[in-house]
Amino acid sequence: MIIVLLGPPGAGKGTQASRIMQTHGLVQLSTGDMLRAAVSAGTEVGLKAKEFMAAGKLVTDEIVIGIIADRIEEDDCKSGFLLDGFPRTVAQAETLNKLLNDKNLTVDIVVEMKVDDESLVDRIAGRYTCAQCNKGYHDTYLKPQVADVCDGCGSANFTRRSDDNRETVISRLATYHTQTAPLLPFYKAQGVLRTIDGMADIDDVTVQINDVLSKLSA
Ligand code: ADP
Ligand code: ADP
Ligand code: ZN
């Protein structure tokens, strides 16, 4: 099964992707995580991507398509995968369709997570992750069970993304509306778009997504 999670920055894609990954045994492919890893490793891709990410702009299609094209060739993608943060432009979606078509595969479902812009700013401003295992948290909406200790790995070391500030968020939201939102009619025409209420609380969103996925496999 090939699933795309589509939604603005802060919609909850990463949070839900790791839950779906655990329950459905699908590998999660997050272009944001891959790009951040490239930036901190100082690779050629990382050097090219860095400025765009810091400004809240999209990295070029060429770079992200290159990353995804290589990644889906790996063994763990054979029984399907979950895309989180890719595609983000119509050109990326068209290329993805071609890459999949060559393997006799197709995007099975695109889950749009709809969230108001004001809530997104709030979610992004309070977001932080475990520096050890990358588990995501929020200052208000998702705190670790024991204060300052990661539920996943016990680490007390947390980080915040440098692009998760109020100025960059405005630019990332504008980028979403102009460059990524055109994917909605694109996938609607393909008959694979499902929209869920991303404003609901985290567990309720998981229920909605599982419901959509169960209808697909039924
Ligand atoms: P968020 O979780 O807030 O939606 P991501 O972690 O997915 O953000 O992405 C962080 C940054 O990485 C984006 O602002 C953009 O610069 C870059 N990026 C990630 N995925 C893509 C993509 N598919 N196309 C272009 N740029 C991307
Ligand atoms: P994305 O990957 O789409 O950018 P994240 O999954 O990182 O979004 O979520 C952004 C922030 O909002 C995180 O701090 C997360 O804990 C929190 N969050 C995610 N889903 C919800 C929700 N349904 N309600 C409230 N907060 C949420
Ligand atoms: Zn952890």
Side-chain angles (χ1 to χ4, degrees), residues 7-14 30-36 49-61 63-65 68 84-89 92 124 127 161 163-164 168-169 171-172 175-176 179-180:
K13 302 182 296 295
S30 159
T31 41
D33 284 348
M34 294 176 202
L35 289 166
R36 277 186 289 282
K50 200 175 172 174
E51 304 294 320
F52 293 105
M53 294 173 77
K57 300 214 166 98
L58 292 183
V59 171
T60 64
D61 288 338
I63 293 178
V64 280
I65 288 167
I68 285 292
D84 154 18
F86 180 93
R88 262 173 149 104
T89 64
Q92 290 177 21
I124 288 173
R127 164 161 68 186
R161 280 168 50 178
D163 60 339
D164 277 352
T168 313
V169 170
S171 142
R172 282 156 64 198
T175 302
Y176 178 80
Q179 291 183 264
T180 307

Side-chain angles (χ1 to χ4, degrees), residues 26-167:
L26 286 173
V27 49
Q28 170 187 0
L29 308 185
S30 159
T31 41
D33 284 348
M34 294 176 202
L35 289 166
R36 277 186 289 282
V39 170
S40 48
T43 64
E44 203 185 320
V45 162
L47 291 175
K48 284 187 194 153
K50 200 175 172 174
E51 304 294 320
F52 293 105
M53 294 173 77
K57 300 214 166 98
L58 292 183
V59 171
T60 64
D61 288 338
E62 194 192 351
I63 293 178
V64 280
I65 288 167
I67 293 178
I68 285 292
D70 288 347
R71 185 63 186 84
I72 65 176
E73 290 302 325
E74 289 179 34
D75 274 354
D76 60 349
C77 291
K78 280 214 171 85
S79 50
F81 45 87
L82 174 71
L83 292 164
D84 154 18
F86 180 93
R88 262 173 149 104
T89 64
V90 172
Q92 290 177 21
E94 284 169 342
T95 310
L96 175 65
N97 279 353
K98 283 196 198 102
L99 289 171
L100 294 177
N101 200 31
D102 288 347
K103 299 165 170 289
N104 279 326
L105 293 170
T106 179
V107 169
D108 294 291
I109 197 141
V110 176
V111 180
E112 180 203 3
M113 305 177 63
K114 232 185 154 104
V115 180
D116 295 351
D117 280 6
E118 305 86 81
S119 306
L120 294 170
V121 176
D122 215 43
R123 286 191 189 179
I124 288 173
R127 164 161 68 186
Y128 63 98
T129 53
C130 172
Q132 198 79 33
C133 72
N134 207 31
K135 190 170 167 40
Y137 295 96
H138 190 278
D139 290 328
T140 312
Y141 308 122
L142 186 62
K143 300 177 188 178
Q145 274 157 11
V146 177
D148 304 326
V149 178
C150 175
D151 297 339
C153 73
S155 163
N157 195 3
F158 297 94
T159 59
R160 285 180 195 263
R161 280 168 50 178
S162 56
D163 60 339
D164 277 352
N165 57 69
R166 287 182 187 269
E167 296 73 49

